[in-house]
Amino acid sequence: MAEVNLLRSLPKTKRNIEKRAEAKNPEIVTIARQYGEMYFDGPREYGYGGYRYDGRWLPVAKDMISHFGLKPGDRVLDIGCAKGFLVKDLMLACPGLEVFGLDISEYALHYCEPEVIGRLHLGSADHLPFPDKSFDCVISLNTIHNFKRHRAVMAMKEIERVSKGKSFVQVDSYLTPEQKDIFESWVLTAEYHDYPDGWLKVFKEAGYSGDYYWTIVE
């Protein structure tokens, strides 16, 4: 298990923290956590403000393929795949790589990229509908924190169960009290979040042996 930044090539997102904090209320949080049209393609205060493919995940896909030594024929699972952008780019970066996705959002799967139709599954990360050790590599980006702690532990156990030993998880975190305050004013969907030490306890409790990194709002 190692801390490694596999999203270092992803463009930095410009976030208007103050505007989100001013607009945020319980109703918006409730709607965002439905992971429907408003979350992906509605106004920015509800989530992404328009979730469209632009190729930004291709350099990330290449870094992941290099880091894990993935090759054609290997099976990869992206948990929390949304519309399948990373699934698509992993296949573009390594033709012959067998990539699949899973997400809880029917909306996202319905509006997925055409290239990934038939590869995306509807389901929850804490109860994966796959056999033990059925994937050479399992990836989950900014998804596991959307569970309460006990379900986050279950999701990490599931990742460990279906993986043959290679995995990567990135979750919301913060390094200082100031970053924690910024995060809490911004976040809509995370049910559990903590400093890295808290997350490492979750990983240990789950018996997780893969790699990991943190998403920090600044």
Side-chain angles (χ1 to χ4, degrees), residues 125-168:
D126 61 342
H127 189 69
L128 297 175
F130 308 108
D132 295 357
K133 301 188 184 307
S134 50
F135 294 95
D136 296 283
C137 183
V138 179
I139 297 160
S140 183
L141 307 179
N142 301 319
T143 295
I144 304 303
H145 51 237
N146 291 332
F147 292 118
K148 294 187 184 299
R149 189 184 188 281
H150 70 284
R151 292 185 69 193
V153 171
M154 283 301 302
M156 298 303 298
K157 287 182 177 179
E158 284 288 85
I159 289 171
E160 189 71 16
R161 179 182 66 79
V162 302
S163 168
K164 293 180 181 178
K166 298 176 180 178
S167 53
F168 176 74

Side-chain angles (χ1 to χ4, degrees), residues 194-206:
D194 207 339
Y195 291 94
D197 284 351
W199 275 112
L200 290 174
K201 290 176 182 176
V202 168
F203 298 164
K204 184 177 180 180
E205 191 175 326

Side-chain angles (χ1 to χ4, degrees), residues 29-71:
V29 169
T30 298
I31 292 172
R33 287 178 177 172
Q34 294 172 1
Y35 304 106
E37 181 178 5
M38 291 294 282
Y39 176 68
F40 286 101
D41 295 318
R44 187 72 169 112
E45 59 263 30
Y46 289 90
Y48 285 103
Y51 195 67
R52 302 174 184 88
Y53 179 81
D54 60 8
R56 71 175 58 197
W57 291 98
L58 191 56
V60 174
K62 292 177 179 178
D63 286 343
M64 289 180 171
I65 290 165
S66 175
H67 177 74
F68 290 115
L70 299 174
K71 60 189 184 302

Side-chain angles (χ1 to χ4, degrees), residues 67-78:
H67 177 74
F68 290 115
L70 299 174
K71 60 189 184 302
D74 284 350
R75 289 169 54 86
V76 180
L77 176 65
D78 178 16

Side-chain angles (χ1 to χ4, degrees), residues 88-147:
K88 174 180 175 175
D89 284 349
L90 282 165
M91 292 192 300
L92 285 174
C94 182
L97 195 64
E98 293 293 333
V99 192
F100 303 89
L102 178 136
D103 203 278
I104 201 168
S105 171
E106 292 187 34
Y107 174 84
L109 300 191
H110 183 74
Y111 290 97
C112 71
E113 290 295 289
E115 296 86 347
V116 302
I117 290 174
R119 291 183 172 272
L120 308 186
H121 299 262
L122 183 67
S124 181
D126 61 342
H127 189 69
L128 297 175
F130 308 108
D132 295 357
K133 301 188 184 307
S134 50
F135 294 95
D136 296 283
C137 183
V138 179
I139 297 160
S140 183
L141 307 179
N142 301 319
T143 295
I144 304 303
H145 51 237
N146 291 332
F147 292 118

